[in-house]
Coordinates of all heavy atoms in Angstrom, one line a residue:
M1 N 14.4 -12.9 0.4 CA 14.0 -12.5 -0.9 C 14.1 -11.0 -1.1 O 14.5 -10.5 -2.1 CB 12.6 -13.0 -1.2 CG 12.2 -13.0 -2.6 SD 10.9 -14.2 -3.0 CE 9.7 -13.1 -3.5
A2 N 13.8 -10.3 0.0 CA 13.8 -8.8 -0.1 C 15.0 -8.3 0.7 O 15.0 -7.1 1.2 CB 12.5 -8.3 0.5
R3 N 16.1 -9.0 0.8 CA 17.3 -8.5 1.5 C 18.0 -7.5 0.6 O 17.8 -7.4 -0.6 CB 18.2 -9.7 1.7 CG 17.8 -10.5 2.9 CD 19.1 -11.2 3.5 NE 18.6 -12.1 4.5 CZ 18.9 -13.4 4.5 NH1 19.6 -14.0 3.5 NH2 18.4 -14.2 5.4
R4 N 18.8 -6.7 1.3 CA 19.6 -5.7 0.6 C 20.8 -6.5 -0.2 O 21.2 -7.6 0.3 CB 20.3 -4.7 1.6 CG 19.3 -3.8 2.2 CD 19.9 -2.8 3.1 NE 20.9 -2.0 2.4 CZ 20.6 -0.9 1.8 NH1 19.4 -0.4 1.8 NH2 21.5 -0.1 1.2
A5 N 21.2 -5.9 -1.2 CA 22.4 -6.4 -1.9 C 23.6 -6.4 -1.0 O 23.8 -5.4 -0.3 CB 22.6 -5.7 -3.2
K6 N 24.5 -7.4 -1.1 CA 25.6 -7.5 -0.2 C 26.6 -6.4 -0.6 O 26.9 -6.2 -1.8 CB 26.3 -8.8 -0.4 CG 27.3 -9.2 0.7 CD 27.7 -10.6 0.6 CE 28.7 -11.0 1.6 NZ 29.2 -12.4 1.5
A7 N 27.2 -5.7 0.4 CA 28.1 -4.6 0.1 C 29.4 -5.2 -0.5 O 29.8 -6.3 -0.1 CB 28.4 -3.8 1.3
R8 N 30.1 -4.5 -1.4 CA 31.3 -5.0 -2.0 C 32.4 -4.0 -1.7 O 32.6 -3.1 -2.5 CB 31.1 -5.2 -3.5 CG 30.2 -6.4 -3.9 CD 30.0 -6.5 -5.3 NE 31.3 -6.7 -6.0 CZ 31.5 -6.3 -7.3 NH1 30.5 -5.8 -8.0 NH2 32.7 -6.5 -7.8
P9 N 33.1 -4.2 -0.6 CA 34.2 -3.2 -0.4 C 35.3 -3.2 -1.5 O 35.6 -4.3 -2.0 CB 34.8 -3.8 0.9 CG 33.8 -4.7 1.5 CD 33.0 -5.2 0.4
D10 N 35.8 -2.1 -1.8 CA 36.8 -2.0 -2.9 C 38.2 -2.3 -2.3 O 38.7 -1.5 -1.4 CB 36.8 -0.5 -3.5 CG 37.7 -0.4 -4.6 OD1 38.5 -1.3 -4.9 OD2 37.7 0.6 -5.3
P11 N 38.8 -3.4 -2.6 CA 40.1 -3.8 -2.0 C 41.2 -2.8 -2.3 O 42.1 -2.7 -1.4 CB 40.4 -5.2 -2.6 CG 39.5 -5.3 -3.8 CD 38.3 -4.4 -3.7
G12 N 41.2 -2.2 -3.4 CA 42.2 -1.2 -3.7 C 42.0 0.2 -3.2 O 42.9 1.0 -3.3
N13 N 40.9 0.4 -2.5 CA 40.5 1.7 -2.0 C 39.7 1.6 -0.7 O 38.5 1.7 -0.7 CB 39.7 2.5 -3.1 CG 39.9 4.0 -3.0 OD1 40.4 4.5 -2.0 ND2 39.3 4.7 -4.0
P14 N 40.4 1.4 0.4 CA 39.7 1.1 1.7 C 38.7 2.2 2.0 O 39.0 3.4 1.8 CB 40.9 1.1 2.7 CG 42.1 0.7 1.9 CD 41.9 1.4 0.6
G15 N 37.6 1.8 2.6 CA 36.5 2.8 2.9 C 35.6 3.1 1.8 O 34.6 3.8 2.1
T16 N 35.8 2.6 0.6 CA 34.9 2.8 -0.5 C 34.3 1.4 -0.9 O 34.9 0.4 -0.5 CB 35.6 3.5 -1.7 OG1 36.6 2.6 -2.2 CG2 36.1 4.8 -1.3
F17 N 33.3 1.5 -1.7 CA 32.6 0.3 -2.2 C 32.5 0.2 -3.7 O 32.3 1.3 -4.3 CB 31.2 0.2 -1.5 CG 31.4 0.0 0.0 CD1 31.4 1.2 0.8 CD2 31.4 -1.2 0.6 CE1 31.5 1.1 2.2 CE2 31.5 -1.3 2.0 CZ 31.6 -0.2 2.8
L18 N 32.5 -1.0 -4.2 CA 32.2 -1.2 -5.7 C 30.7 -1.2 -5.9 O 30.0 -1.5 -5.0 CB 32.9 -2.5 -6.1 CG 34.4 -2.5 -6.0 CD1 34.9 -4.0 -6.2 CD2 35.1 -1.6 -7.0
P19 N 30.3 -0.9 -7.1 CA 28.8 -1.0 -7.4 C 28.3 -2.5 -7.1 O 29.0 -3.4 -7.5 CB 28.7 -0.8 -8.9 CG 30.0 0.0 -9.2 CD 31.0 -0.5 -8.3
N20 N 27.2 -2.6 -6.4 CA 26.6 -3.9 -6.1 C 25.2 -4.1 -6.6 O 24.6 -5.0 -6.2 CB 26.7 -4.1 -4.6 CG 25.9 -3.1 -3.8 OD1 25.3 -2.2 -4.4 ND2 25.8 -3.3 -2.5
G21 N 24.7 -3.1 -7.3 CA 23.3 -3.2 -7.8 C 22.2 -3.0 -6.8 O 21.1 -3.4 -7.0
Q22 N 22.5 -2.2 -5.7 CA 21.5 -2.0 -4.7 C 20.4 -1.2 -5.2 O 19.2 -1.4 -4.8 CB 22.2 -1.3 -3.5 CG 21.2 -1.0 -2.4 CD 20.4 -2.2 -1.9 OE1 21.0 -3.3 -1.7 NE2 19.1 -2.1 -1.6
A23 N 20.6 -0.2 -6.1 CA 19.5 0.6 -6.6 C 18.4 -0.3 -7.3 O 17.2 -0.1 -7.1 CB 20.0 1.7 -7.6
A24 N 18.9 -1.2 -8.1 CA 18.0 -2.1 -8.8 C 17.3 -3.0 -7.8 O 16.1 -3.3 -7.9 CB 18.7 -2.9 -9.9
K25 N 18.1 -3.4 -6.8 CA 17.5 -4.4 -5.8 C 16.4 -3.6 -5.0 O 15.4 -4.2 -4.6 CB 18.6 -4.8 -4.9 CG 18.2 -5.9 -3.9 CD 18.0 -7.3 -4.5 CE 17.8 -8.4 -3.5 NZ 16.4 -8.6 -3.2
S26 N 16.6 -2.3 -4.7 CA 15.6 -1.6 -4.0 C 14.3 -1.5 -4.7 O 13.2 -1.7 -4.1 CB 16.1 -0.1 -3.8 OG 17.2 -0.1 -2.9
G27 N 14.3 -1.3 -6.1 CA 13.1 -1.4 -6.9 C 12.4 -2.7 -6.8 O 11.2 -2.8 -6.7
L28 N 13.3 -3.8 -6.9 CA 12.7 -5.1 -6.8 C 12.1 -5.4 -5.5 O 11.0 -5.9 -5.4 CB 13.8 -6.2 -7.1 CG 13.4 -7.6 -7.0 CD1 12.3 -8.0 -8.0 CD2 14.6 -8.5 -7.1
N29 N 12.8 -5.0 -4.4 CA 12.2 -5.1 -3.0 C 10.9 -4.5 -2.9 O 9.9 -5.0 -2.3 CB 13.2 -4.6 -2.0 CG 14.4 -5.4 -1.8 OD1 14.5 -6.5 -2.3 ND2 15.4 -4.9 -1.1
R30 N 10.8 -3.2 -3.5 CA 9.5 -2.5 -3.4 C 8.4 -3.3 -4.1 O 7.3 -3.4 -3.6 CB 9.7 -1.1 -4.0 CG 8.5 -0.2 -3.8 CD 8.7 1.2 -4.2 NE 9.8 1.8 -3.3 CZ 10.9 2.3 -3.7 NH1 11.2 2.3 -5.0 NH2 11.8 2.8 -2.9
S31 N 8.7 -3.8 -5.3 CA 7.7 -4.6 -6.0 C 7.3 -5.8 -5.2 O 6.1 -6.2 -5.2 CB 8.3 -5.1 -7.3 OG 8.6 -3.9 -8.1
I32 N 8.2 -6.5 -4.5 CA 7.9 -7.7 -3.8 C 7.0 -7.3 -2.6 O 5.9 -8.0 -2.4 CB 9.2 -8.3 -3.2 CG1 10.0 -9.0 -4.3 CG2 8.9 -9.4 -2.1 CD1 11.4 -9.4 -3.9
H33 N 7.3 -6.2 -1.9 CA 6.4 -5.8 -0.8 C 5.1 -5.3 -1.3 O 4.0 -5.6 -0.6 CB 7.1 -4.7 0.0 CG 8.3 -5.3 0.8 ND1 8.1 -6.2 1.8 CD2 9.6 -5.0 0.8 CE1 9.3 -6.5 2.3 NE2 10.2 -5.8 1.7
D34 N 5.0 -4.6 -2.4 CA 3.7 -4.1 -2.9 C 2.9 -5.3 -3.3 O 1.7 -5.4 -3.0 CB 3.9 -3.3 -4.2 CG 4.5 -1.9 -3.8 OD1 4.5 -1.6 -2.6 OD2 4.9 -1.1 -4.7
A35 N 3.5 -6.3 -4.0 CA 2.7 -7.5 -4.4 C 2.2 -8.3 -3.1 O 1.1 -8.8 -3.1 CB 3.6 -8.4 -5.2
G36 N 3.1 -8.3 -2.1 CA 2.7 -9.0 -0.9 C 1.4 -8.4 -0.3 O 0.5 -9.1 0.1
W37 N 1.4 -7.1 -0.2 CA 0.2 -6.4 0.3 C -1.0 -6.6 -0.6 O -2.1 -6.8 -0.1 CB 0.4 -4.9 0.5 CG 1.1 -4.6 1.8 CD1 2.3 -4.3 2.1 CD2 0.4 -4.7 3.1 NE1 2.5 -4.1 3.4 CE2 1.4 -4.4 4.1 CE3 -0.9 -5.1 3.5 CZ2 1.1 -4.4 5.4 CZ3 -1.1 -5.1 4.9 CH2 -0.2 -4.7 5.8
G38 N -0.8 -6.6 -1.9 CA -1.9 -6.8 -2.8 C -2.5 -8.1 -2.7 O -3.7 -8.3 -2.7
V39 N -1.6 -9.2 -2.6 CA -2.1 -10.5 -2.4 C -2.8 -10.7 -1.1 O -3.9 -11.3 -1.0 CB -0.9 -11.5 -2.5 CG1 -1.3 -12.9 -2.1 CG2 -0.3 -11.5 -3.9
F40 N -2.2 -10.1 0.0 CA -2.9 -10.2 1.3 C -4.2 -9.6 1.3 O -5.2 -10.2 1.8 CB -2.0 -9.5 2.3 CG -2.7 -9.3 3.7 CD1 -2.9 -10.4 4.5 CD2 -3.1 -8.1 4.0 CE1 -3.6 -10.2 5.7 CE2 -3.8 -7.9 5.2 CZ -4.0 -9.0 6.1
L41 N -4.4 -8.4 0.7 CA -5.7 -7.7 0.7 C -6.7 -8.4 -0.2 O -7.9 -8.5 0.2 CB -5.5 -6.2 0.2 CG -4.8 -5.3 1.2 CD1 -4.6 -4.0 0.5 CD2 -5.6 -5.2 2.5
G42 N -6.2 -9.0 -1.3 CA -7.1 -9.9 -2.1 C -7.7 -11.0 -1.3 O -8.9 -11.3 -1.4
I43 N -6.8 -11.7 -0.6 CA -7.2 -12.9 0.2 C -8.2 -12.4 1.3 O -9.2 -13.1 1.6 CB -6.0 -13.7 0.8 CG1 -5.2 -14.3 -0.4 CG2 -6.4 -14.7 1.8 CD1 -3.8 -14.8 0.1
L44 N -7.8 -11.3 2.0 CA -8.6 -10.8 3.1 C -10.0 -10.5 2.6 O -11.0 -10.9 3.2 CB -8.0 -9.5 3.6 CG -8.7 -8.9 4.8 CD1 -8.7 -9.8 6.0 CD2 -8.0 -7.6 5.2
H45 N -10.2 -9.8 1.4 CA -11.5 -9.5 0.9 C -12.3 -10.7 0.5 O -13.5 -10.8 0.8 CB -11.3 -8.5 -0.3 CG -11.1 -7.1 0.1 ND1 -12.2 -6.2 0.4 CD2 -10.0 -6.4 0.2 CE1 -11.7 -5.1 0.7 NE2 -10.4 -5.1 0.6
A46 N -11.6 -11.7 -0.1 CA -12.3 -12.9 -0.5 C -12.8 -13.7 0.8 O -13.9 -14.2 0.8 CB -11.3 -13.8 -1.3
K47 N -11.9 -13.8 1.8 CA -12.3 -14.5 3.0 C -13.5 -13.8 3.7 O -14.4 -14.4 4.2 CB -11.1 -14.6 4.0 CG -10.0 -15.6 3.6 CD -10.5 -17.0 3.8 CE -9.3 -17.9 3.5 NZ -9.8 -19.3 3.6
A48 N -13.4 -12.5 3.8 CA -14.5 -11.7 4.4 C -15.8 -11.9 3.6 O -16.8 -12.1 4.3 CB -14.1 -10.2 4.4
E49 N -15.7 -11.9 2.3 CA -16.9 -12.0 1.5 C -17.5 -13.4 1.7 O -18.8 -13.6 1.9 CB -16.6 -11.8 0.0 CG -17.9 -11.7 -0.8 CD -17.5 -11.3 -2.3 OE1 -16.5 -10.6 -2.5 OE2 -18.2 -11.8 -3.2
S50 N -16.7 -14.4 1.7 CA -17.2 -15.8 1.9 C -17.8 -16.0 3.3 O -18.6 -16.9 3.5 CB -16.1 -16.8 1.6 OG -15.2 -16.9 2.7
A51 N -17.4 -15.2 4.3 CA -17.9 -15.3 5.6 C -19.1 -14.3 5.8 O -19.5 -14.2 7.0 CB -16.8 -15.0 6.6
G52 N -19.5 -13.6 4.8 CA -20.6 -12.7 4.9 C -20.2 -11.4 5.6 O -21.0 -10.7 6.2
R53 N -18.9 -11.1 5.6 CA -18.4 -9.9 6.3 C -17.9 -8.9 5.3 O -17.7 -9.2 4.1 CB -17.2 -10.3 7.2 CG -17.5 -11.4 8.2 CD -18.4 -10.9 9.3 NE -18.7 -12.0 10.2 CZ -19.3 -11.9 11.3 NH1 -19.8 -10.7 11.7 NH2 -19.6 -12.9 12.1
T54 N -17.6 -7.7 5.8 CA -17.0 -6.7 4.9 C -15.7 -6.2 5.5 O -15.5 -6.3 6.7 CB -17.9 -5.4 4.8 OG1 -18.3 -5.0 6.0 CG2 -19.2 -5.8 4.0
V55 N -14.8 -5.7 4.6 CA -13.5 -5.1 5.0 C -13.7 -3.6 4.9 O -14.1 -3.1 3.9 CB -12.4 -5.6 4.1 CG1 -11.1 -5.0 4.5 CG2 -12.3 -7.1 4.3
V56 N -13.4 -2.9 6.0 CA -13.4 -1.4 6.0 C -12.0 -0.9 6.3 O -11.6 -1.1 7.4 CB -14.4 -0.9 7.0 CG1 -14.5 0.6 7.0 CG2 -15.8 -1.5 6.8
P57 N -11.4 -0.3 5.3 CA -10.0 0.2 5.6 C -10.1 1.4 6.5 O -11.0 2.3 6.3 CB -9.5 0.6 4.2 CG -10.7 0.7 3.3 CD -11.8 -0.1 3.9
V58 N -9.3 1.5 7.5 CA -9.2 2.6 8.5 C -7.8 3.1 8.6 O -6.9 2.4 8.7 CB -9.7 2.0 9.9 CG1 -9.5 3.1 11.0 CG2 -11.1 1.5 9.9
P59 N -7.7 4.4 8.5 CA -6.3 5.0 8.6 C -5.8 4.7 10.0 O -6.4 5.0 11.0 CB -6.5 6.5 8.4 CG -8.0 6.7 8.1 CD -8.7 5.5 8.3
A60 N -4.6 4.2 10.1 CA -4.0 3.7 11.3 C -3.4 4.8 12.2 O -3.4 4.7 13.4 CB -2.9 2.7 11.1
P61 N -2.9 6.0 11.7 CA -2.3 7.0 12.5 C -3.1 7.4 13.7 O -4.3 7.7 13.6 CB -2.0 8.1 11.6 CG -1.9 7.5 10.2 CD -2.9 6.4 10.3
H62 N -2.4 7.4 14.9 CA -3.0 7.9 16.2 C -4.0 7.0 16.8 O -4.5 7.3 17.9 CB -3.6 9.3 16.0 CG -2.6 10.3 15.4 ND1 -1.4 10.5 15.9 CD2 -2.7 11.0 14.3 CE1 -0.7 11.4 15.2 NE2 -1.5 11.7 14.1
T63 N -4.3 5.8 16.2 CA -5.3 4.9 16.9 C -4.7 4.3 18.1 O -5.5 4.0 19.0 CB -5.7 3.8 15.9 OG1 -4.5 3.1 15.4 CG2 -6.5 4.3 14.8
S64 N -3.4 4.2 18.3 CA -2.8 3.6 19.5 C -2.5 4.6 20.5 O -2.2 4.3 21.6 CB -1.5 2.8 19.1 OG -0.6 3.7 18.6
R65 N -2.6 5.9 20.2 CA -2.3 6.9 21.3 C -3.5 7.8 21.6 O -3.4 8.7 22.4 CB -1.1 7.8 20.8 CG -1.3 8.4 19.4 CD -0.3 9.4 19.1 NE 1.1 8.9 19.0 CZ 2.1 9.6 18.6 NH1 2.0 10.8 18.4 NH2 3.3 9.0 18.6
T66 N -4.7 7.5 21.0 CA -5.9 8.2 21.3 C -6.7 7.4 22.4 O -6.9 6.2 22.3 CB -6.8 8.3 20.0 OG1 -6.0 9.1 19.1 CG2 -8.1 9.1 20.3
C67 N -7.2 8.1 23.4 CA -8.0 7.5 24.4 C -9.3 7.1 23.9 O -10.1 7.9 23.3 CB -8.1 8.5 25.6 SG -9.2 7.8 26.9
A68 N -9.7 5.8 24.1 CA -11.0 5.3 23.6 C -12.1 5.8 24.5 O -13.3 5.8 24.0 CB -11.0 3.8 23.6
A69 N -11.8 6.3 25.7 CA -12.9 6.8 26.6 C -13.2 8.3 26.3 O -14.4 8.7 26.3 CB -12.5 6.6 28.0
C70 N -12.2 9.1 26.2 CA -12.4 10.6 26.1 C -11.9 11.2 24.8 O -12.3 12.3 24.5 CB -11.8 11.3 27.3 SG -10.0 11.5 27.2
G71 N -11.1 10.5 24.0 CA -10.7 11.0 22.7 C -9.4 11.8 22.8 O -8.9 12.3 21.8
H72 N -8.8 12.0 24.0 CA -7.6 12.7 24.1 C -6.4 12.0 23.4 O -6.3 10.8 23.6 CB -7.2 12.9 25.6 CG -6.0 13.8 25.8 ND1 -6.0 15.1 25.6 CD2 -4.8 13.4 26.3 CE1 -4.8 15.6 25.8 NE2 -4.0 14.6 26.3
C73 N -5.7 12.7 22.6 CA -4.6 12.1 21.7 C -3.3 12.7 22.1 O -3.1 13.9 21.8 CB -5.0 12.2 20.3 SG -3.7 11.5 19.2
T74 N -2.4 11.9 22.6 CA -1.0 12.3 22.9 C -0.1 11.1 23.1 O -0.6 10.0 23.5 CB -0.9 13.2 24.1 OG1 0.4 13.5 24.4 CG2 -1.4 12.5 25.4
A75 N 1.1 11.2 22.7 CA 2.1 10.1 22.9 C 2.3 9.7 24.3 O 2.6 8.6 24.6 CB 3.4 10.5 22.2
E76 N 2.0 10.6 25.2 CA 2.2 10.3 26.7 C 1.2 9.3 27.2 O 1.3 8.8 28.3 CB 2.1 11.6 27.5 CG 3.4 12.5 27.5 CD 3.5 13.3 26.1 OE1 2.5 13.9 25.8 OE2 4.5 13.2 25.5
N77 N 0.1 9.1 26.4 CA -0.9 8.1 26.8 C -0.3 6.7 26.8 O -0.8 5.8 27.5 CB -2.1 8.2 25.9 CG -3.0 9.3 26.2 OD1 -2.9 10.0 27.2 ND2 -3.9 9.6 25.3
R78 N 0.7 6.5 26.0 CA 1.4 5.2 25.9 C 2.6 5.1 26.9 O 3.6 5.7 26.5 CB 1.8 4.9 24.5 CG 0.7 4.7 23.5 CD 0.0 3.3 23.7 NE 0.9 2.2 23.4 CZ 1.1 1.7 22.2 NH1 0.6 2.2 21.2 NH2 1.9 0.6 22.1
R79 N 2.4 4.5 28.0 CA 3.6 4.5 29.0 C 4.6 3.4 28.5 O 5.8 3.6 28.6 CB 3.0 4.2 30.4 CG 2.3 5.3 31.0 CD 1.9 5.0 32.4 NE 1.1 6.1 32.9 CZ 0.4 6.1 34.0 NH1 0.4 5.0 34.7 NH2 -0.3 7.1 34.4
T80 N 4.1 2.3 28.1 CA 4.9 1.2 27.5 C 4.3 0.7 26.3 O 3.2 1.2 25.9 CB 5.1 0.1 28.5 OG1 3.8 -0.6 28.7 CG2 5.6 0.5 29.9
Q81 N 4.9 -0.3 25.7 CA 4.4 -0.9 24.4 C 3.0 -1.5 24.7 O 2.1 -1.4 23.9 CB 5.3 -2.0 24.0 CG 4.8 -2.7 22.7 CD 4.9 -1.8 21.5 OE1 5.6 -0.8 21.4 NE2 4.0 -2.1 20.5
A82 N 2.7 -2.0 25.9 CA 1.5 -2.7 26.2 C 0.5 -1.9 27.0 O -0.7 -2.1 27.0 CB 1.8 -4.0 26.9
E83 N 1.0 -0.9 27.8 CA 0.2 -0.2 28.7 C -0.3 1.2 28.2 O 0.4 2.0 27.7 CB 1.0 0.1 30.0 CG 0.2 0.7 31.1 CD 1.1 1.2 32.3 OE1 2.3 0.9 32.2 OE2 0.6 1.8 33.2
F84 N -1.7 1.4 28.2 CA -2.3 2.6 27.8 C -2.9 3.3 29.1 O -3.6 2.6 29.8 CB -3.4 2.4 26.8 CG -4.0 3.7 26.3 CD1 -3.5 4.3 25.2 CD2 -5.1 4.3 27.0 CE1 -4.1 5.5 24.8 CE2 -5.6 5.4 26.6 CZ -5.1 6.1 25.5
A85 N -2.5 4.5 29.4 CA -3.1 5.2 30.5 C -3.3 6.7 30.1 O -2.3 7.4 29.9 CB -2.1 5.2 31.7
C86 N -4.5 7.1 29.9 CA -4.9 8.4 29.5 C -4.4 9.5 30.5 O -4.8 9.4 31.7 CB -6.4 8.6 29.2 SG -6.8 10.2 28.6
V87 N -3.7 10.5 30.0 CA -3.2 11.5 31.0 C -4.3 12.6 31.2 O -4.2 13.4 32.1 CB -1.9 12.2 30.4 CG1 -0.8 11.3 30.4 CG2 -2.2 12.9 29.1
A88 N -5.4 12.5 30.4 CA -6.5 13.5 30.6 C -7.6 13.0 31.5 O -8.0 13.7 32.4 CB -7.1 13.9 29.2
C89 N -8.0 11.7 31.3 CA -9.2 11.2 32.0 C -8.8 10.1 33.0 O -9.7 9.6 33.8 CB -10.3 10.8 31.1 SG -10.1 9.3 30.2
G90 N -7.6 9.5 32.8 CA -7.2 8.4 33.7 C -7.6 7.0 33.2 O -7.4 6.0 33.9
H91 N -8.3 6.9 32.1 CA -8.7 5.6 31.5 C -7.5 4.8 31.3 O -6.5 5.2 30.7 CB -9.5 5.8 30.2 CG -9.7 4.6 29.4 ND1 -10.6 3.6 29.8 CD2 -9.1 4.1 28.3 CE1 -10.6 2.7 28.9 NE2 -9.7 2.9 28.0
T92 N -7.5 3.5 31.8 CA -6.4 2.6 31.5 C -6.9 1.3 30.8 O -8.1 0.9 31.0 CB -5.7 2.1 32.8 OG1 -6.7 1.5 33.7 CG2 -5.1 3.3 33.6
A93 N -6.1 0.8 30.0 CA -6.4 -0.5 29.2 C -5.1 -1.0 28.6 O -4.1 -0.3 28.6 CB -7.4 -0.2 28.1
H94 N -5.2 -2.3 28.2 CA -4.1 -2.8 27.4 C -4.1 -1.9 26.1 O -5.1 -1.6 25.5 CB -4.3 -4.2 27.0 CG -3.1 -4.9 26.4 ND1 -2.7 -4.6 25.1 CD2 -2.1 -5.7 26.9 CE1 -1.6 -5.3 24.8 NE2 -1.2 -6.0 25.9
A95 N -2.9 -1.5 25.7 CA -2.8 -0.6 24.5 C -3.4 -1.2 23.2 O -4.0 -0.4 22.5 CB -1.3 -0.3 24.3
D96 N -3.3 -2.5 23.0 CA -3.9 -3.1 21.8 C -5.4 -3.1 21.9 O -6.1 -2.9 20.9 CB -3.4 -4.5 21.7 CG -1.9 -4.6 21.3 OD1 -1.3 -3.6 20.9 OD2 -1.3 -5.7 21.5
V97 N -6.0 -3.3 23.1 CA -7.4 -3.3 23.3 C -7.9 -1.8 23.0 O -8.9 -1.6 22.3 CB -7.8 -3.8 24.7 CG1 -9.3 -3.6 24.9 CG2 -7.4 -5.2 24.8
N98 N -7.2 -0.8 23.6 CA -7.6 0.6 23.4 C -7.6 0.9 21.9 O -8.5 1.5 21.4 CB -6.7 1.5 24.2 CG -7.1 2.9 24.1 OD1 -8.1 3.4 24.7 ND2 -6.3 3.7 23.3
A99 N -6.5 0.5 21.2 CA -6.4 0.8 19.8 C -7.5 0.1 19.0 O -8.1 0.6 18.1 CB -5.0 0.4 19.3
A100 N -7.8 -1.2 19.4 CA -8.8 -1.9 18.7 C -10.2 -1.3 18.8 O -11.0 -1.2 17.8 CB -8.9 -3.4 19.3
V101 N -10.5 -0.7 20.0 CA -11.8 0.0 20.2 C -11.8 1.2 19.2 O -12.8 1.5 18.6 CB -11.9 0.4 21.6 CG1 -13.1 1.4 21.8 CG2 -12.1 -0.8 22.5
N102 N -10.7 2.0 19.2 CA -10.6 3.1 18.3 C -10.8 2.7 16.8 O -11.5 3.4 16.1 CB -9.3 3.9 18.5 CG -9.2 4.6 19.8 OD1 -10.2 5.0 20.3 ND2 -8.0 4.7 20.3
I103 N -10.1 1.6 16.4 CA -10.2 1.2 15.0 C -11.6 0.7 14.7 O -12.2 1.1 13.6 CB -9.2 0.1 14.8 CG1 -7.8 0.7 14.8 CG2 -9.4 -0.6 13.4 CD1 -6.7 -0.3 14.9
L104 N -12.3 0.0 15.6 CA -13.6 -0.5 15.4 C -14.6 0.7 15.3 O -15.4 0.8 14.3 CB -14.1 -1.3 16.6 CG -15.6 -1.8 16.5 CD1 -15.9 -2.6 15.3 CD2 -15.9 -2.5 17.8
R105 N -14.4 1.7 16.1 CA -15.3 2.9 16.1 C -15.1 3.6 14.8 O -16.1 4.0 14.1 CB -14.9 3.8 17.3 CG -15.9 5.0 17.5 CD -15.5 5.8 18.7 NE -15.8 5.0 19.9 CZ -15.1 5.0 21.0 NH1 -14.1 5.9 21.1 NH2 -15.4 4.3 22.1
A106 N -13.8 3.8 14.3 CA -13.6 4.5 13.0 C -14.2 3.7 11.9 O -14.7 4.3 10.9 CB -12.1 4.7 12.9
G107 N -14.0 2.4 11.9 CA -14.6 1.5 10.8 C -16.1 1.6 10.8 O -16.7 1.7 9.7
L108 N -16.8 1.6 11.9 CA -18.2 1.7 12.0 C -18.7 3.0 11.5 O -19.7 3.2 10.8 CB -18.7 1.4 13.4 CG -18.6 -0.1 13.9 CD1 -19.0 -0.2 15.3 CD2 -19.4 -1.0 13.0
A109 N -17.9 4.1 11.9 CA -18.3 5.5 11.4 C -18.1 5.6 9.9 O -19.0 6.1 9.2 CB -17.4 6.5 12.1
R110 N -17.1 5.0 9.3 CA -16.9 5.0 7.9 C -18.0 4.2 7.2 O -18.5 4.7 6.1 CB -15.5 4.4 7.5 CG -14.4 5.3 7.7 CD -13.1 4.8 7.1 NE -12.3 6.0 6.9 CZ -11.5 6.1 5.9 NH1 -11.4 5.2 5.0 NH2 -10.7 7.2 5.8
Q111 N -18.4 3.1 7.7 CA -19.4 2.2 7.2 C -20.8 3.0 7.2 O -21.5 3.0 6.2 CB -19.5 0.9 8.0 CG -20.0 -0.2 7.2 CD -19.9 -1.5 7.9 OE1 -19.9 -1.5 9.2 NE2 -19.8 -2.6 7.2
A112 N -21.0 3.7 8.3 CA -22.3 4.4 8.4 C -22.3 5.6 7.4 O -23.3 5.9 6.8 CB -22.4 5.0 9.9
A113 N -21.1 6.2 7.2 CA -21.0 7.3 6.3 C -21.2 6.9 4.9 O -21.9 7.6 4.1 CB -19.7 8.0 6.4
Q114 N -20.8 5.6 4.5 CA -20.9 5.1 3.2 C -22.4 4.7 2.9 O -22.9 4.9 1.8 CB -20.1 3.9 3.0 CG -18.6 4.2 2.8 CD -17.7 3.0 2.8 OE1 -18.2 1.9 3.1 NE2 -16.4 3.2 2.6
A115 N -23.1 4.3 4.0 CA -24.5 3.8 3.9 C -25.4 5.0 3.7 O -26.5 4.9 3.1 CB -24.9 3.0 5.1
A116 N -25.0 6.1 4.3 CA -25.9 7.3 4.3 C -25.9 8.0 3.0 O -25.1 7.9 2.1 CB -25.5 8.3 5.4
Ligands
ZN201 ZN1 -9.1 9.7 28.3

């Protein structure tokens, strides 16, 4: 549904392409993806509310490269996609678990800040 428009090579002019409507398709693709996130967030909030939970948005940048133990943040903390090893304090964990701890901590801090 959100694929790019198929390229149309110009048979009379090798190396060039005929108009294929990609600019319009890009706008449509953006709308599809925006609606996708809007629908997802709507369902997420409704499910959380029905379960007596709350949704706390947390900015994602650096949550996967920050040490959950000491707070040191660098790309070198991620040795592989799955392995997290802090170059400052030596803390090791699965990268997803380390990031989840950081995200939970940020969410709880935001929640506490909203309550205060
Ligand atoms: Zn550390």
